[in-house]
Structure formats: C-alpha cells, structure tokens
Amino acid sequence: MSNSFELKFKANITNELLARNSITAFLSPLNIDFEELNEFKTIVSEAVSNAIIHGYKFDGNKDVYMKVTMYEDEVELIIKDFGVGIENVESAKRPHYTTRPDLERAGMGLTIIETLSDDLKIHSIPGMGVRLIVRKKIHPLTYVNE
C-alpha cells in the first residue's frame, strides 16, 4: 500500500521552504530519525532550488511540481519543471558544475542529491525541462520495551 501527495507552487525561492515543510509533515508519521528526515529535506531543497534558479532563472510566474509517494520501505520524490532543461546531464552531475557562476553557486546540488539518495534518475529535454526521480529507503525507529 502506498500514500502520496502532489504539490504545485510558483518558482519563487521562498517556496523552497514550503516544499521542505511539506516533506517533513508527510514523513513525520513514519517515525524516522532526525538525520534521515534532514536528508529528505536537503534533497527536496536542492532539487527545488535547482528548478527555480537554473530551470526557470527565477521566473516566479512558472510552476514547480513535486510528487512524493511513500511505499512500504521507500519514498519516491519527483521534482519537475518545464524550464530550460539540462544540456549535458553527466556534466551537471559533476561537483562544482553550475550554470549560474554569477550567483556564486557551489554547483553541488545534484552531487548532494545523488549522495543522499539510493537512486537518482534525471530526465531532461533541453528547452522543455527536467524531471528528477529520487528513491530513498526509509528506516523507521523501533523502540524496545524495558
């Protein structure tokens, strides 16, 4: 059995917090530890920021889409935009690669997402957008009765 939610929001950088808070609220009933929850929040933050900054170049009239599905022992996140796309996905996955050096971006977003996830798929069509599909196992805490 699965559970899911979808969220569509404007490509305004302040909505990155909305996306982070949404994943937190959705995963809270799973009783996962603080560190694991922070990894999910970081993945969402990096993916949403990339869509807004690189995909849409801060065009707040555009929409970012997020879908989160919880399976028995895994969560799937899909973050999608219809922005400029990624010309070369392999280059974009390299540490310190950025299309916005003018903003002093670290170029670590996709590297961080890939490191924290169990599986990352990047579908991009230049001029049409990017869809990130992230899968990550969950490890609910168990308590031993004393």
mmCIF file of all heavy atoms in Angstrom, residues 70-88:
data_model
loop_
_atom_site.group_PDB
_atom_site.id
_atom_site.type_symbol
_atom_site.label_atom_id
_atom_site.label_comp_id
_atom_site.label_asym_id
_atom_site.label_seq_id
_atom_site.Cartn_x
_atom_site.Cartn_y
_atom_site.Cartn_z
ATOM 1 N N MET A 70 5.005 7.419 -0.740
ATOM 2 C CA MET A 70 5.573 6.599 0.309
ATOM 3 C C MET A 70 5.143 5.154 0.066
ATOM 4 O O MET A 70 3.950 4.868 -0.030
ATOM 5 C CB MET A 70 5.053 7.075 1.672
ATOM 6 C CG MET A 70 5.591 6.325 2.839
ATOM 7 S SD MET A 70 5.041 6.952 4.464
ATOM 8 C CE MET A 70 3.752 8.114 4.119
ATOM 9 N N TYR A 71 6.117 4.289 -0.075
ATOM 10 C CA TYR A 71 5.867 2.855 -0.198
ATOM 11 C C TYR A 71 6.208 2.207 1.140
ATOM 12 O O TYR A 71 6.541 2.896 2.095
ATOM 13 C CB TYR A 71 6.690 2.265 -1.343
ATOM 14 C CG TYR A 71 6.337 2.870 -2.681
ATOM 15 C CD1 TYR A 71 7.133 3.859 -3.248
ATOM 16 C CD2 TYR A 71 5.198 2.472 -3.364
ATOM 17 C CE1 TYR A 71 6.804 4.430 -4.470
ATOM 18 C CE2 TYR A 71 4.861 3.036 -4.587
ATOM 19 C CZ TYR A 71 5.673 4.014 -5.136
ATOM 20 O OH TYR A 71 5.332 4.582 -6.340
ATOM 21 N N GLU A 72 6.158 0.908 1.208
ATOM 22 C CA GLU A 72 6.394 0.210 2.471
ATOM 23 C C GLU A 72 7.722 0.584 3.121
ATOM 24 O O GLU A 72 7.783 0.889 4.303
ATOM 25 C CB GLU A 72 6.328 -1.301 2.249
ATOM 26 C CG GLU A 72 6.361 -2.089 3.538
ATOM 27 C CD GLU A 72 6.117 -3.564 3.287
ATOM 28 O OE1 GLU A 72 5.214 -3.900 2.507
ATOM 29 O OE2 GLU A 72 6.853 -4.365 3.875
ATOM 30 N N ASP A 73 8.796 0.559 2.349
ATOM 31 C CA ASP A 73 10.107 0.839 2.928
ATOM 32 C C ASP A 73 10.909 1.847 2.109
ATOM 33 O O ASP A 73 12.127 1.924 2.221
ATOM 34 C CB ASP A 73 10.916 -0.456 3.076
ATOM 35 C CG ASP A 73 11.268 -1.078 1.725
ATOM 36 O OD1 ASP A 73 10.650 -0.703 0.709
ATOM 37 O OD2 ASP A 73 12.162 -1.938 1.690
ATOM 38 N N GLU A 74 10.221 2.633 1.301
ATOM 39 C CA GLU A 74 10.920 3.539 0.392
ATOM 40 C C GLU A 74 10.033 4.737 0.074
ATOM 41 O O GLU A 74 8.812 4.639 0.042
ATOM 42 C CB GLU A 74 11.247 2.768 -0.888
ATOM 43 C CG GLU A 74 12.048 3.521 -1.902
ATOM 44 C CD GLU A 74 12.394 2.624 -3.086
ATOM 45 O OE1 GLU A 74 11.465 2.109 -3.741
ATOM 46 O OE2 GLU A 74 13.589 2.449 -3.349
ATOM 47 N N VAL A 75 10.684 5.865 -0.185
ATOM 48 C CA VAL A 75 9.981 7.071 -0.601
ATOM 49 C C VAL A 75 10.504 7.456 -1.972
ATOM 50 O O VAL A 75 11.707 7.405 -2.235
ATOM 51 C CB VAL A 75 10.207 8.218 0.410
ATOM 52 C CG1 VAL A 75 9.635 9.526 -0.103
ATOM 53 C CG2 VAL A 75 9.605 7.863 1.758
ATOM 54 N N GLU A 76 9.578 7.829 -2.848
ATOM 55 C CA GLU A 76 9.940 8.326 -4.173
ATOM 56 C C GLU A 76 9.540 9.790 -4.256
ATOM 57 O O GLU A 76 8.407 10.146 -3.954
ATOM 58 C CB GLU A 76 9.221 7.533 -5.264
ATOM 59 C CG GLU A 76 9.539 8.050 -6.665
ATOM 60 C CD GLU A 76 8.736 7.335 -7.730
ATOM 61 O OE1 GLU A 76 7.504 7.603 -7.814
ATOM 62 O OE2 GLU A 76 9.322 6.514 -8.457
ATOM 63 N N LEU A 77 10.494 10.624 -4.657
ATOM 64 C CA LEU A 77 10.241 12.043 -4.859
ATOM 65 C C LEU A 77 10.415 12.358 -6.341
ATOM 66 O O LEU A 77 11.413 11.936 -6.942
ATOM 67 C CB LEU A 77 11.243 12.895 -4.083
ATOM 68 C CG LEU A 77 11.265 12.784 -2.583
ATOM 69 C CD1 LEU A 77 12.462 11.987 -2.151
ATOM 70 C CD2 LEU A 77 11.300 14.160 -1.994
ATOM 71 N N ILE A 78 9.481 13.076 -6.895
ATOM 72 C CA ILE A 78 9.597 13.556 -8.265
ATOM 73 C C ILE A 78 9.497 15.074 -8.209
ATOM 74 O O ILE A 78 8.514 15.617 -7.712
ATOM 75 C CB ILE A 78 8.506 12.969 -9.178
ATOM 76 C CG1 ILE A 78 8.619 11.445 -9.229
ATOM 77 C CG2 ILE A 78 8.607 13.578 -10.577
ATOM 78 C CD1 ILE A 78 7.490 10.753 -9.975
ATOM 79 N N ILE A 79 10.534 15.730 -8.691
ATOM 80 C CA ILE A 79 10.551 17.189 -8.772
ATOM 81 C C ILE A 79 10.665 17.514 -10.261
ATOM 82 O O ILE A 79 11.563 17.023 -10.944
ATOM 83 C CB ILE A 79 11.744 17.815 -8.015
ATOM 84 C CG1 ILE A 79 11.856 17.283 -6.585
ATOM 85 C CG2 ILE A 79 11.674 19.337 -8.071
ATOM 86 C CD1 ILE A 79 10.823 17.750 -5.635
ATOM 87 N N LYS A 80 9.746 18.362 -10.741
ATOM 88 C CA LYS A 80 9.661 18.587 -12.184
ATOM 89 C C LYS A 80 9.490 20.072 -12.474
ATOM 90 O O LYS A 80 8.777 20.779 -11.762
ATOM 91 C CB LYS A 80 8.466 17.782 -12.702
ATOM 92 C CG LYS A 80 8.186 17.872 -14.143
ATOM 93 C CD LYS A 80 7.151 16.847 -14.599
ATOM 94 C CE LYS A 80 5.830 16.964 -13.896
ATOM 95 N NZ LYS A 80 4.776 16.138 -14.475
ATOM 96 N N ASP A 81 10.167 20.513 -13.532
ATOM 97 C CA ASP A 81 9.956 21.867 -14.040
ATOM 98 C C ASP A 81 9.873 21.802 -15.562
ATOM 99 O O ASP A 81 10.223 20.791 -16.165
ATOM 100 C CB ASP A 81 11.080 22.814 -13.584
ATOM 101 C CG ASP A 81 12.427 22.502 -14.221
ATOM 102 O OD1 ASP A 81 12.585 22.696 -15.446
ATOM 103 O OD2 ASP A 81 13.343 22.075 -13.490
ATOM 104 N N PHE A 82 9.392 22.870 -16.141
ATOM 105 C CA PHE A 82 9.304 22.975 -17.601
ATOM 106 C C PHE A 82 10.168 24.136 -18.074
ATOM 107 O O PHE A 82 9.759 24.941 -18.906
ATOM 108 C CB PHE A 82 7.843 23.133 -18.040
ATOM 109 C CG PHE A 82 7.018 21.907 -17.764
ATOM 110 C CD1 PHE A 82 6.256 21.805 -16.613
ATOM 111 C CD2 PHE A 82 7.057 20.832 -18.642
ATOM 112 C CE1 PHE A 82 5.522 20.659 -16.337
ATOM 113 C CE2 PHE A 82 6.326 19.679 -18.376
ATOM 114 C CZ PHE A 82 5.559 19.599 -17.224
ATOM 115 N N GLY A 83 11.371 24.192 -17.506
ATOM 116 C CA GLY A 83 12.302 25.284 -17.791
ATOM 117 C C GLY A 83 13.241 24.970 -18.945
ATOM 118 O O GLY A 83 12.879 24.278 -19.894
ATOM 119 N N VAL A 84 14.482 25.455 -18.805
ATOM 120 C CA VAL A 84 15.450 25.373 -19.896
ATOM 121 C C VAL A 84 16.030 23.979 -20.099
ATOM 122 O O VAL A 84 16.612 23.692 -21.134
ATOM 123 C CB VAL A 84 16.612 26.384 -19.710
ATOM 124 C CG1 VAL A 84 16.076 27.797 -19.662
ATOM 125 C CG2 VAL A 84 17.436 26.070 -18.471
ATOM 126 N N GLY A 85 15.883 23.108 -19.107
ATOM 127 C CA GLY A 85 16.452 21.766 -19.223
ATOM 128 C C GLY A 85 17.942 21.763 -18.961
ATOM 129 O O GLY A 85 18.546 22.801 -18.703
ATOM 130 N N ILE A 86 18.513 20.590 -19.020
ATOM 131 C CA ILE A 86 19.953 20.419 -18.808
ATOM 132 C C ILE A 86 20.545 19.912 -20.110
ATOM 133 O O ILE A 86 20.140 18.872 -20.617
ATOM 134 C CB ILE A 86 20.233 19.400 -17.674
ATOM 135 C CG1 ILE A 86 19.614 19.870 -16.351
ATOM 136 C CG2 ILE A 86 21.738 19.175 -17.517
ATOM 137 C CD1 ILE A 86 19.686 18.834 -15.238
ATOM 138 N N GLU A 87 21.490 20.652 -20.642
ATOM 139 C CA GLU A 87 22.133 20.265 -21.901
ATOM 140 C C GLU A 87 22.881 18.943 -21.777
ATOM 141 O O GLU A 87 22.770 18.078 -22.627
ATOM 142 C CB GLU A 87 23.112 21.359 -22.357
ATOM 143 C CG GLU A 87 22.448 22.585 -22.934
ATOM 144 C CD GLU A 87 21.833 22.337 -24.306
ATOM 145 O OE1 GLU A 87 22.330 21.470 -25.062
ATOM 146 O OE2 GLU A 87 20.838 23.015 -24.611
ATOM 147 N N ASN A 88 23.682 18.819 -20.717
ATOM 148 C CA ASN A 88 24.512 17.640 -20.536
ATOM 149 C C ASN A 88 24.374 17.163 -19.088
ATOM 150 O O ASN A 88 24.994 17.722 -18.185
ATOM 151 C CB ASN A 88 25.973 17.964 -20.869
ATOM 152 C CG ASN A 88 26.866 16.750 -20.822
ATOM 153 O OD1 ASN A 88 26.703 15.863 -19.972
ATOM 154 N ND2 ASN A 88 27.828 16.706 -21.717
#
